[in-house]
Amino acid sequence: MKRLIYIFIFLYTVSSLVAKDYRVSGITEYNNAVKLLQPGDRIILAKGVWQDAQFVFYGEGTEQQPITLTVEEYGATTIEGGSTLQLYGNYLVIDGLVFVNGYAPQKQVIEFKKGTEKVANNSILRNCVIDSYNKPDRNSEDSWVNLWGRNNEVVNCYFGGKTNHGVTLIVWPNGEGHNKNFHRIHKNYFGARPRLGSNGGETIRIGTSHVSMENSNTIVESNYFEHCNGEVEILSVKSCENRIINNTFFECEGSVVLRHGHRNEVSGNSFIGNNKPFTGGVRIINESQRVFNNYFYGLKGKDFRGPIVIMNGVPNSVANRYHQVKDAEIMFNTWVDCELPWQLCVGSDEERTAVPVNSRIANNIVYCPQEETLIKSFDRTNGITFANNLLISNKGVEKGKGFINGTVTNINNVNGLPIISSNIKVDDQTGYITSDIDGLTRKGNKTIGAINNGTVNALTNIASAKNCGPSWYTPISKEKVKGKVTILSPGIDVLVKAVKKSNPGDIFELQAGEYINSQKIVIPHSLTIKAANTSERPVIKADMQAKVNCIFEIGGNLDFSINGLDINGKQSDTSYVKYALATIKESIAHSYNMHISNCDIYNFENKEGGAIYKAYKGTFADTLTVINSVFRDSYRGFALNDEKDGKGLYSAEFMIFDNCVFANIEQWAIDFLRGGNDESTLGGNLIIDHCVFDNVNNRENQTIIKHTGLITIDIKNTVFFNSPLAKSPVRLSGRHNTIDYSAVYQAGKITKVNGAKEGTNIIYFAPEYIKGTFYIPEAKSPLMGKASDGNNIGLKR
């Protein structure tokens, strides 16, 4: 027997000694080496840039001797251009690859298979990076990591900066060979993903609706998600028996969504919103879901992005709609300083009439002493049992069946998080909750909430940027670049030439006078153009003979600010530039931000679809802010109405007007379109405060502000008048469409449908401005002191 053992050790030692390293410097050398790989072998990519490399990595390693693809030095080898990786075989390791400065020519960057038959199993992707590796068209779809096969692992990787359509990481539990896969995704850093403005912006998806009844058994554990804002579903579960455990979701505008499939677990996670808007927690659909030992802090999301959301279902639902919630258990969780922490029967409408049944919410703590309402129900909740819940609002302790009286212990941990616990103990018979959020054993009768009572060091070792992802990698900086300041004097094409020579972040200060342009001014990167002297506005206009459709053309991935400018669209008595500002016509890879301050924009009277602002299809503004500006004597105002495909797309996440005037606009002031009704996005958002609309769209059966499908509209402290033929100042639809503290006179009637709200502070009298002034109300004006902030309705002074 001893002799056999010695022989085995000898053979194992010999096989280890013959394992080879293949150092390669180009794709031809790589392709030759990969054919030779045996258990224990490694391919080592030389330092430098690997451009347009289509890697196929394959082999049959063993558990003791995997086959590895790695790099000569972490961070010194980058994979760029149109590069991808496919792998298949057994016991393969991918280590240290960095994908930057390019995009996948197809729809996958890394795929754990090649074709339909060759699949990777028992393989690891570790210490790898995909950073801002985006297609140039933001509507072109790809996914960065695609997990097929079984028993694969993604660990200590960084994925961030994805701006185009498509999920960052997908698990495909598609039948035999891929279901019951037991993949493990852990200790990864999922970096910022900006708002996509459409469906398809998930960070992780496990399954699809078509295979949602398959068991995936995927574990997503101890990952750090930071500013993952692509859409409302950060992590979308569409299969059965998955575990989402011990992750941190930091200031993410979305939720973990148990979208399809049954018997999933969400436990031990920290949802840290820090009072940022739209930050969410967990949304529950389907059967036998368990949500326990989670900590929710400072979450401000509503509806589909609420801190905890239990949905209504569709009776006899098809696979891709909403199955009824049954047998859900929400237990031993803690909510702290969250807005409307429990939202029940969300989505209740004519289709979603199946209320949750046989479900239980027990042994939880809700400590939100600044909030008035802690539970909001949109339908009957008699199918939900409440037990041993301690809820504290600004009105004190919640009373009633299922709620208990008591106090909490409040300790700030070393990270500044408020650690809320209680000494109230309950007899828990579930059997599966044996520890708290920190892994500390719960013995006997258990204290309620996610944290054992009095634990001083709670939540100090949660997943973070410090302990997730490759320790040697620094993500690509998204900080704004500070450029130089240049003072310009008036002249012909002075501004055109200056912008062409500019660098990102530059600031141009324009002295008073006329800046005449023979061509449009193309904005290629972040710039600021402002008046040098705030008391004297420079005038920007097109040459009489110039054949331009806009004064400024805005690209993507930039911040463009104009401040203190006059922009004149008139070229001659019969000729007008079509747009003051327009996006490029092509789809862009990144969103942009636009800021207009203290500007006077006028004479854009082109009758062939002209407007002050034009957003073309495929472009997307994260934020369009307009402050202290006047738009007058033009055909149309702001046109964000090109997304007509019915896919839920829209042209801006936030469109904000503050202290602005629209005067003498022949048609509408704003046309903001969200085509379709996709519920993965909750935009756009139109906010109008302290504005004046004077003689806008004064035509029969017309509306001053047009919109379709916007989720949120908030109009307040605003005057609509002098449009006696108009049908309505605005048509509001949905319970997040509101108008209040405003004046409507000779401007039609406010139209409201589907729960939209007209406040009780609407004035229907003449505004009574002092003649010859710029919208200054008379002392007896009904606008005086009636704004929500105590100022006058209309312009702030």
Tab-separated table of all heavy atoms in Angstrom, residues 73 79 116 134 177 188 243 285-286 317 374 463 524 537 738 767:
chain	number	residue	atom	x	y	z
A	73	GLU	N	2.188	40.896	-16.190
A	73	GLU	CA	2.143	41.781	-15.024
A	73	GLU	C	0.746	42.373	-14.930
A	73	GLU	O	0.228	42.933	-15.900
A	73	GLU	CB	3.175	42.898	-15.165
A	73	GLU	CG	3.225	43.853	-13.989
A	73	GLU	CD	4.220	44.979	-14.192
A	73	GLU	OE1	5.175	44.794	-14.980
A	73	GLU	OE2	4.042	46.049	-13.578
A	79	ILE	N	-6.267	44.671	-23.053
A	79	ILE	CA	-6.929	44.091	-24.220
A	79	ILE	C	-7.827	45.182	-24.785
A	79	ILE	O	-8.766	45.630	-24.111
A	79	ILE	CB	-7.760	42.854	-23.834
A	79	ILE	CG1	-6.994	41.962	-22.854
A	79	ILE	CG2	-8.192	42.097	-25.069
A	79	ILE	CD1	-5.705	41.401	-23.378
A	116	THR	N	-22.668	26.203	-29.893
A	116	THR	CA	-23.721	25.644	-29.046
A	116	THR	C	-23.282	24.411	-28.271
A	116	THR	O	-23.921	24.040	-27.292
A	116	THR	CB	-24.940	25.281	-29.911
A	116	THR	OG1	-24.521	24.363	-30.941
A	116	THR	CG2	-25.538	26.526	-30.562
A	134	ASN	N	-17.383	50.121	-24.349
A	134	ASN	CA	-18.734	50.363	-24.844
A	134	ASN	C	-18.802	50.511	-26.359
A	134	ASN	O	-17.924	51.119	-26.972
A	134	ASN	CB	-19.299	51.644	-24.209
A	134	ASN	CG	-19.417	51.518	-22.708
A	134	ASN	OD1	-20.073	50.626	-22.201
A	134	ASN	ND2	-18.768	52.426	-21.990
A	177	GLY	N	-27.318	20.958	-18.967
A	177	GLY	CA	-25.944	21.419	-19.114
A	177	GLY	C	-25.720	22.827	-18.621
A	177	GLY	O	-24.568	23.245	-18.454
A	188	ASN	N	-16.731	40.761	-6.279
A	188	ASN	CA	-16.512	41.618	-7.434
A	188	ASN	C	-16.965	43.044	-7.142
A	188	ASN	O	-17.823	43.285	-6.293
A	188	ASN	CB	-17.282	41.079	-8.646
A	188	ASN	CG	-16.856	39.679	-9.006
A	188	ASN	OD1	-15.768	39.456	-9.506
A	188	ASN	ND2	-17.726	38.713	-8.718
A	243	ARG	N	-29.358	32.458	-4.672
A	243	ARG	CA	-29.087	33.103	-3.391
A	243	ARG	C	-28.347	34.417	-3.647
A	243	ARG	O	-27.263	34.434	-4.253
A	243	ARG	CB	-28.257	32.200	-2.494
A	243	ARG	CG	-28.910	30.860	-2.178
A	243	ARG	CD	-28.041	30.047	-1.249
A	243	ARG	NE	-28.020	30.646	0.099
A	243	ARG	CZ	-27.009	30.499	0.960
A	243	ARG	NH1	-25.914	29.835	0.598
A	243	ARG	NH2	-27.074	31.056	2.149
A	285	ILE	N	-41.841	39.196	-6.391
A	285	ILE	CA	-42.864	38.644	-7.273
A	285	ILE	C	-42.715	37.128	-7.195
A	285	ILE	O	-41.662	36.622	-6.788
A	285	ILE	CB	-42.677	39.152	-8.724
A	285	ILE	CG1	-42.523	40.686	-8.755
A	285	ILE	CG2	-43.849	38.749	-9.631
A	285	ILE	CD1	-41.814	41.219	-9.964
A	286	ASN	N	-43.723	36.363	-7.549
A	286	ASN	CA	-43.666	34.903	-7.648
A	286	ASN	C	-43.774	34.218	-6.281
A	286	ASN	O	-44.222	34.827	-5.314
A	286	ASN	CB	-42.398	34.466	-8.389
A	286	ASN	CG	-42.230	35.205	-9.709
A	286	ASN	OD1	-43.058	35.096	-10.597
A	286	ASN	ND2	-41.160	35.994	-9.821
A	317	SER	N	-51.010	34.246	-15.101
A	317	SER	CA	-50.036	35.051	-15.846
A	317	SER	C	-49.245	34.203	-16.836
A	317	SER	O	-48.878	33.059	-16.557
A	317	SER	CB	-49.068	35.718	-14.867
A	317	SER	OG	-48.061	36.430	-15.559
A	374	LEU	N	-45.265	54.711	7.091
A	374	LEU	CA	-44.295	53.633	6.959
A	374	LEU	C	-44.801	52.500	6.075
A	374	LEU	O	-44.000	51.720	5.561
A	374	LEU	CB	-43.934	53.071	8.335
A	374	LEU	CG	-43.360	54.076	9.338
A	374	LEU	CD1	-42.988	53.371	10.635
A	374	LEU	CD2	-42.167	54.816	8.760
A	463	ALA	N	-19.228	44.112	2.198
A	463	ALA	CA	-18.556	44.287	0.909
A	463	ALA	C	-18.403	45.774	0.609
A	463	ALA	O	-19.323	46.573	0.802
A	463	ALA	CB	-19.362	43.606	-0.194
A	524	PRO	N	-17.612	68.921	-29.204
A	524	PRO	CA	-17.134	67.536	-29.196
A	524	PRO	C	-16.862	66.969	-27.809
A	524	PRO	O	-16.697	65.765	-27.648
A	524	PRO	CB	-15.837	67.637	-29.991
A	524	PRO	CG	-15.311	69.000	-29.648
A	524	PRO	CD	-16.512	69.882	-29.405
A	537	ARG	N	-24.536	90.982	-22.641
A	537	ARG	CA	-24.609	89.675	-23.275
A	537	ARG	C	-23.994	89.693	-24.665
A	537	ARG	O	-24.373	90.506	-25.509
A	537	ARG	CB	-26.067	89.229	-23.399
A	537	ARG	CG	-26.674	88.724	-22.109
A	537	ARG	CD	-27.934	87.930	-22.433
A	537	ARG	NE	-28.555	87.416	-21.248
A	537	ARG	CZ	-29.803	87.691	-20.871
A	537	ARG	NH1	-30.529	88.503	-21.613
A	537	ARG	NH2	-30.301	87.164	-19.779
A	738	THR	N	-48.188	66.072	-11.268
A	738	THR	CA	-48.851	67.011	-10.368
A	738	THR	C	-48.635	68.449	-10.820
A	738	THR	O	-47.629	68.781	-11.448
A	738	THR	CB	-48.320	66.877	-8.926
A	738	THR	OG1	-46.923	67.198	-8.912
A	738	THR	CG2	-48.493	65.457	-8.411
A	767	PRO	N	-53.154	87.464	-13.955
A	767	PRO	CA	-51.970	87.636	-13.106
A	767	PRO	C	-51.711	89.084	-12.697
A	767	PRO	O	-51.041	89.324	-11.704
A	767	PRO	CB	-50.834	87.089	-13.960
A	767	PRO	CG	-51.342	87.110	-15.353
A	767	PRO	CD	-52.811	86.915	-15.288
